[in-house]
Amino acid sequence: MPVNGKHLLHLVPHGINSDEFKPLPKNDKRLLNLKKEYLGDGEYNFIVAFNSRNAHRKHPANLIMAFKSFCASINQEDAKKCALIMHTDKVCEDGTDLIATIQAICPEYKVVLDESRKSPEETVAFYNLADVTANVSSNEGFGLSIAESIMCGTPVIVAIS
């Protein structure tokens, strides 16, 4: 209802832009460049993405342990072609020293840490590069990274608590 000709309430639309967050063709140059940036020239057939804060409630160390368990449970030739790419802080006061965690519990498998700022276009390529996006947070409903991943056509793994 206008007051003195002005509206006091304004709609601020929110959500995920489906024109931006969408599946990309597998030969998209952004995907190929990002894959090379993260994984070099290695052959990787299964990529798990994590895009969240390095905070205890997000359980990034648990995800590393789960990734290790998964890789240890499959043929070792196939395990060598798996990668976990974590877009988060490597070390955080509210979280975990992920560098030390990887060295201690998962040195034999490919875990990549990336704490660089990503544009929306780069984030779309990140989700499209992955075969699955994981969110193992506790006490969190439906995280933004999961919604963005789904918009990009990438399946998700979530913890239900």
Side-chain angles (χ1 to χ4, degrees):
M1 169 182 286
V3 175
N4 294 331
K6 294 184 180 183
H7 289 279
L8 298 177
L9 298 176
H10 298 278
L11 172 66
V12 179
H14 64 283
I16 299 167
N17 184 345
S18 61
D19 291 331
E20 192 170 37
F21 283 82
K22 61 186 179 186
L24 299 175
K26 291 297 178 192
N27 63 348
D28 188 284
K29 189 174 182 173
R30 293 168 289 186
L31 286 175
L32 301 175
N33 290 340
L34 191 61
K35 187 172 187 178
K36 186 166 184 80
E37 176 187 328
Y38 283 138
L39 304 169
D41 292 323
E43 182 183 342
Y44 291 89
N45 297 331
F46 186 71
I47 298 171
V48 179
F50 173 82
N51 185 17
S52 195
R53 289 191 59 234
N54 177 1
H56 292 299
R57 68 183 173 82
K58 301 288 187 173
H59 302 294
N62 290 8
L63 180 59
I64 294 168
M65 181 59 93
F67 178 72
K68 176 184 177 161
S69 294
F70 168 75
C71 289
S73 74
I74 62 175
N75 172 298
Q76 286 307 292
E77 287 301 312
D78 291 334
K80 290 178 187 175
K81 296 176 183 177
C82 294
L84 169 60
I85 302 174
M86 303 180 78
H87 186 251
T88 191
D89 292 326
K90 295 175 182 178
V91 179
C92 184
E93 185 178 303
D94 296 328
T96 305
D97 181 338
L98 295 177
I99 297 167
T101 300
I102 293 164
Q103 291 171 347
I105 66 173
C106 194
E108 64 271 54
Y109 301 112
K110 184 71 168 183
V111 180
V112 177
L113 297 173
D114 175 20
E115 55 188 359
S116 68
R117 287 279 194 202
K118 295 280 185 235
S119 69
E121 183 177 271
E122 292 168 320
T123 302
V124 169
F126 175 75
Y127 292 124
N128 275 272
L129 177 63
D131 293 288
V132 65
T133 300
N135 178 345
V136 295
S137 299
S138 62
N139 300 318
E140 181 173 308
F142 196 78
L144 181 59
S145 65
I146 295 305
E148 291 174 341
S149 182
I150 290 170
M151 292 296 291
C152 291
T154 303
V156 298
I157 298 171
V158 297
I160 299 172
S161 54

